[in-house]
């Protein structure tokens, strides 16, 4: 009777749990390698480039819309890929977060190894010192104990340990340059701290821009409604801003012969803290590169512009005067455009009131120049101001429930015929236009406005500190040399009673200069010179 042996069982592969664990482990090892950290750092710098090259929606939404319309499908594609909101995009945040995890994963084991190395004693003295890159042999005139005492004195500041070998031989192992690894760790931990606090600054910081007339007008940081534009961090709701007020007394600008600005200065007054309770104003000279710092906020002077002043005399003799900022369209000549809007007083009927509203729109030139019948400006200085205006009457849409730009009228009202042009004229200061119903519009003069930016970043001190420590750590890691030195002292013999001294050195990094240092140290050790 024959028996048939069963075929050997096929080897069993790893279980799904083991495969999952291996995948997670290998992924973590790859993510926390220094090579991955460097790649992610490069990707972060690369990902920040679109934020510098393309308009960003948070900074200038109209510019983004203009860019999209000018570039067609390509502009629309970039919008879908969040290239106009780079720093809040998913892909930028993912790189940012992965870099933080990678740095933490890299630095944690390196820190433990560094502490372990700092606590360890210098390595044993090699048997054959002559095989070291730097070696010197000499003889001393003193006994072993006296020679060792001189060596210890010469190696003051080195980490060293003395050991005993057979035959009365004594050795000293010394190390120096641990500051190199310290600087390396300081650099990487500072980079991590910089990333963390930069992110916290985006969470708890805010930034707002506002235009204020330079005629004693006041701006108070009491809420986001006081700003023309406001960008808040994710943890800022705008209800608990640092309270302070600024008063813009005047503005002075100087220009070069080519019309380029070279000096902006505004005399302001401010109050914060206890000054708000006592209504105390403190003077300050605000300049472009000299922000006002108060209660943790910074107030910057960004720019300036002109505000044509118009007085409207209605048929019943009532006068209204407005000094509204107009938007600069040519920074070289400060040519500006805008709209100054009036509601006729004394009209109580809502329907009739919406047919009697006035808007003065057009161009303003600080140094006027007529190119045919077209008004333009030849210089930014306020030497010969003039306006070219269209006067519109009808419904300005102020009660439509929609936000409206202060620089222009609602074009839909013009398209619907509810706002009609009734006059067009070029005007110098003091000139007047009389409308068909007897209303008079006079160009009285020009004021100035300044553009301010208020920035709040509670982490800026930490960011600066980490940036400085990054450079210090980088300098230490590049300039400090890690090196080792061994000294072996052998007692003399009957035939040769003088002590034998061997000195050997090894640089842990390939840097020039250690040969000179070794020669200097060995010369002192063997010759017995002090220094």
């Amino acid at each position: 009777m024959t028996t048939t042996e069963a075929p050997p069982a096929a080897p069993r592969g790893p279980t799904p749990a083991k495969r999952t664990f291996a995948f997670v482990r290998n992924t973590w090892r790859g993510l926390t390698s220094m090579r991955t950290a460097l790649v992610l750092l490069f990707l972060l710098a690369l990902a920040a480039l679109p934020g510098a090259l393309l308009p960003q929606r948070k900074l200038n939404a109209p510019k983004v819309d203009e860019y999209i319309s000018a570039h067609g499908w390509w502009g629309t594609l970039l919008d879908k890929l969040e290239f106009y909101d780079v720093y809040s995009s998913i892909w930028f945040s993912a790189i940012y977060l992965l870099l933080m995890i990678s740095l933490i994963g890299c630095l944690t084991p390196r820190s433990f190894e560094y502490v372990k190395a700092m606590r360890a004693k210098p390595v044993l003295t090699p048997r054959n010192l002559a095989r070291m890159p730097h070696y010197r042999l000499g003889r001393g005139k003193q006994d072993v104990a006296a020679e060792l005492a001189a060596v210890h004195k010469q190696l003051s500041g080195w980490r060293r340990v003395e050991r005993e070998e057979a035959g009365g031989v004594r050795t000293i192992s010394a190390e120096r340059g641990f500051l190199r690894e310290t600087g390396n760790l300081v650099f990487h931990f500072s980079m991590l701290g910089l990333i963390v606090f930069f992110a916290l600054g985006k969470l708890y910081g805010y930034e707002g821009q506002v235009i204020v007339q330079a005629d004693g007008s006041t701006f108070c940081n009491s809420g986001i409604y006081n700003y023309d534009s406001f960008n808040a961090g994710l943890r800022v709701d705008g209800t608990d801003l640092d309270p302070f007020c600024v008063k813009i007394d005047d503005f002075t600008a100087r220009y070069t012969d080519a019309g380029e600005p070279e000096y902006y200065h505004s005399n302001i007054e401010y109050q914060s803290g206890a000054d708000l309770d006592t209504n105390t104003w403190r003077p300050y000279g605000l300049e472009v590169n000299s922000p006002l710092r108060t209660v943790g906020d910074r107030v910057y002077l960004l720019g300036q512009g002109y505000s044509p002043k118009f007085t409207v005399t209605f048929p019943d003799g009532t006068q209204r005067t407005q000094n509204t900022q107009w938007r600069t369209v040519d920074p070289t000549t400060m040519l500006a455009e805008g709209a100054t809007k009036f509601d006729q007083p004394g009209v109580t009927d809502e329907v009739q009131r919406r047919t009697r509203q006035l808007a003065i729109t057009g161009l303003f030139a600080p140094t006027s120049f007529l190119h045919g019948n077209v008004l333009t400006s030849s210089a930014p200085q306020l030497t010969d101001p003039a306006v070219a205006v269209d006067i519109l009457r009808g419904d300005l849409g102020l009660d439509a429930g929609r936000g409206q730009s202060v620089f222009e009228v609602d074009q839909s009202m013009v398209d619907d015929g509810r706002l009609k042009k009734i006059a067009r004229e070029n005007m110098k200061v003091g000139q007047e236009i009389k409308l068909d119903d007897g209303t008079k519009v006079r160009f009285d003069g020009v004021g100035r406005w300044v553009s301010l930016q208020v920035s709040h970043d509670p982490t800026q001190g930490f960011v600066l500190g980490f940036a400085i420590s990054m450079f210090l750590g980088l300098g230490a890691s590049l300039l400090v040399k890690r090196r080792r030195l061994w000294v072996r002292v052998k007692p003399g013999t009957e035939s040769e009673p003088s002590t034998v001294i061997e000195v050997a050195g090894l640089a842990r990094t390939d840097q020039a200069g250690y040969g000179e240092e070794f020669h200097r140290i060995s010369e002192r050790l063997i010759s017995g010179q002090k220094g």
Side-chain angles (χ1 to χ4, degrees):
M1 180 176 181
T2 60
T3 58
T4 303
E5 295 184 0
R12 298 177 60 186
T15 63
K18 289 184 178 180
R19 288 198 298 268
T20 302
F21 176 76
F23 174 77
V24 173
R25 180 191 58 197
N26 294 334
T27 301
W28 174 254
R29 288 177 178 175
L31 179 62
T32 57
S33 67
M34 185 56 67
R35 177 180 298 178
T36 302
L38 292 175
V39 170
L40 288 172
L41 185 61
F42 172 75
L43 288 178
L44 187 69
L46 190 64
L49 286 178
L53 300 177
L54 295 174
Q56 297 298 293
R57 186 167 277 110
K58 282 190 175 181
L59 298 179
N60 196 336
K63 190 70 175 179
V64 172
D65 296 336
E66 179 182 340
Y67 187 90
I68 293 174
S69 61
H71 291 79
W73 68 270
W74 173 248
T76 304
L77 178 62
L78 292 179
D79 190 20
K80 292 180 179 179
L81 296 177
E82 301 182 283
F83 275 80
Y84 307 121
D85 301 280
V86 168
Y87 303 110
S88 59
S89 64
I90 296 176
W91 47 271
F92 188 87
S93 302
I95 298 174
Y96 201 92
L97 183 60
L98 287 174
L99 178 59
M100 289 180 55
I101 296 174
S102 181
L103 284 175
I104 294 173
C106 290
L107 295 176
T108 301
R110 286 186 61 184
S111 300
F112 286 117
E113 292 176 3
Y114 173 74
V115 172
K116 185 178 179 181
M118 287 292 293
R119 297 179 62 183
K121 294 181 179 180
V123 298
L124 293 171
T125 303
R127 291 180 180 272
N128 189 357
L129 291 180
R131 299 177 62 181
M132 292 294 105
H134 304 280
Y135 175 74
R136 186 166 183 179
L137 175 66
R139 293 187 176 274
K141 299 178 181 180
Q142 306 180 79
D143 59 12
V144 173
E147 292 291 350
L148 286 175
V151 170
H152 278 294
K153 186 175 181 180
Q154 295 293 337
L155 295 180
S156 176
W158 290 65
R159 294 177 67 243
R160 59 192 186 277
V161 62
E162 183 179 331
R163 296 184 176 94
E164 185 175 358
E165 296 179 352
V169 178
R170 306 286 294 183
T171 66
I172 293 178
S173 300
E175 293 182 343
R176 200 169 193 178
F178 273 88
L179 188 61
R180 178 185 181 88
E181 181 63 19
T182 303
N184 198 308
L185 289 175
V186 167
F187 171 77
H188 287 92
F189 273 112
S190 298
M191 181 187 297
L192 178 62
L194 189 69
I195 293 173
V196 170
F197 280 96
F198 184 78
L200 290 176
K202 294 299 181 181
L203 288 175
Y204 293 94
Y206 59 82
E207 189 174 87
Q209 292 81 34
V210 62
I211 289 176
V212 185
Q213 296 293 336
D215 57 0
S217 298
T218 303
F219 163 77
C220 289
N221 191 42
S222 55
I224 61 176
Y225 54 85
N226 283 343
Y227 286 93
D228 297 322
S229 64
F230 189 83
N231 298 318
L234 296 178
R235 305 294 297 176
V236 177
D237 58 7
T239 60
D240 191 24
L241 305 183
D242 296 326
F244 68 88
C245 292
V246 293
K247 183 190 297 182
I248 312 300
D249 293 329
D250 59 27
F251 178 82
T252 302
R254 288 204 303 264
Y255 299 89
T256 64
D257 295 337
E260 297 179 354
E262 63 176 0
Y263 175 76
Y264 283 172
H265 181 274
S266 179
N267 290 310
I268 71 170
E269 299 175 72
Y270 73 97
Q271 53 181 204
S272 58
D275 293 341
L276 292 170
D277 299 327
T278 60
N279 197 29
T280 301
W281 292 93
R282 302 181 184 276
Y284 186 82
L286 189 64
E287 297 180 6
V288 172
N289 294 318
S290 179
L292 168 67
R293 301 176 186 271
T294 181
V295 293
D297 286 27
R298 289 159 292 151
V299 182
Y300 293 92
L301 176 61
L302 295 184
Q304 58 96 20
Y306 293 108
S307 301
K309 183 178 181 181
F310 295 98
T311 296
V312 177
T313 304
F314 293 96
D316 61 356
T318 306
Q319 289 188 338
R320 291 290 185 268
T321 301
Q322 287 198 45
N323 190 25
T324 305
Q325 64 266 24
W326 282 24
R327 176 174 53 201
T328 303
V329 294
D330 185 355
T332 304
T333 63
M334 295 301 292
L335 183 70
E337 66 179 10
T340 303
K341 305 170 186 178
F342 291 86
D343 238 333
Q344 184 170 343
V347 181
T348 57
D349 183 81
E350 290 295 325
V351 176
Q352 185 180 4
R353 185 177 66 86
R354 290 193 182 99
T355 64
R356 306 299 300 173
Q357 293 172 335
L358 288 178
I360 304 172
T361 67
L363 294 174
F364 166 78
T367 302
S368 59
F369 172 73
L370 283 176
H371 186 70
N373 291 326
V374 179
L375 179 70
T376 186
S377 179
S378 59
Q381 294 90 340
L382 193 65
T383 56
D384 186 20
V387 292
V389 297
D390 287 337
I391 300 179
L392 309 176
R393 184 166 59 204
D395 187 1
L396 294 177
L398 301 177
D399 301 326
R402 300 189 306 271
Q404 191 175 121
S405 172
V406 70
F407 298 114
E408 57 191 20
V409 297
D410 188 347
Q411 185 60 36
S412 65
M413 297 296 177
V414 179
D415 297 338
D416 292 344
R418 287 180 285 177
L419 191 60
K420 298 180 180 180
K421 180 172 65 177
I422 56 175
R424 167 174 284 186
E425 194 70 48
N426 293 340
M427 303 170 66
K428 298 277 190 175
V429 175
Q431 291 184 345
E432 185 177 82
I433 302 175
K434 188 172 183 180
L435 306 182
D436 52 3
D437 62 350
T439 301
K440 298 178 182 178
V441 178
R442 186 176 68 244
F443 177 33
D444 288 336
V446 185
R448 286 185 180 270
W449 56 261
V450 297
S451 176
L452 303 179
Q453 175 175 296
V454 177
S455 299
H456 175 78
D457 185 357
T459 65
Q460 60 176 337
F462 294 98
V463 171
L464 176 62
F466 279 117
I468 294 174
S469 63
M470 274 182 60
F471 283 104
L472 294 178
L474 182 62
S477 65
L478 293 177
L479 299 177
V480 176
K481 309 167 189 174
R482 182 81 182 277
R483 60 260 195 216
R484 287 175 175 171
L485 190 76
W486 295 277
V487 180
R488 177 176 280 123
V489 182
K490 299 179 181 179
T493 62
E494 293 183 0
S495 60
E496 188 64 53
S498 58
T499 304
V500 178
I501 303 175
E502 288 184 284
V503 183
L506 173 66
R508 295 289 304 277
T509 53
D510 297 330
Q511 291 192 23
Y514 183 59
E516 298 177 1
E517 182 187 26
F518 174 81
H519 178 77
R520 186 172 60 253
I521 294 174
S522 62
E523 183 70 24
R524 291 202 305 263
L525 292 177
I526 292 177
S527 66
Q529 297 178 10
K530 309 299 180 184

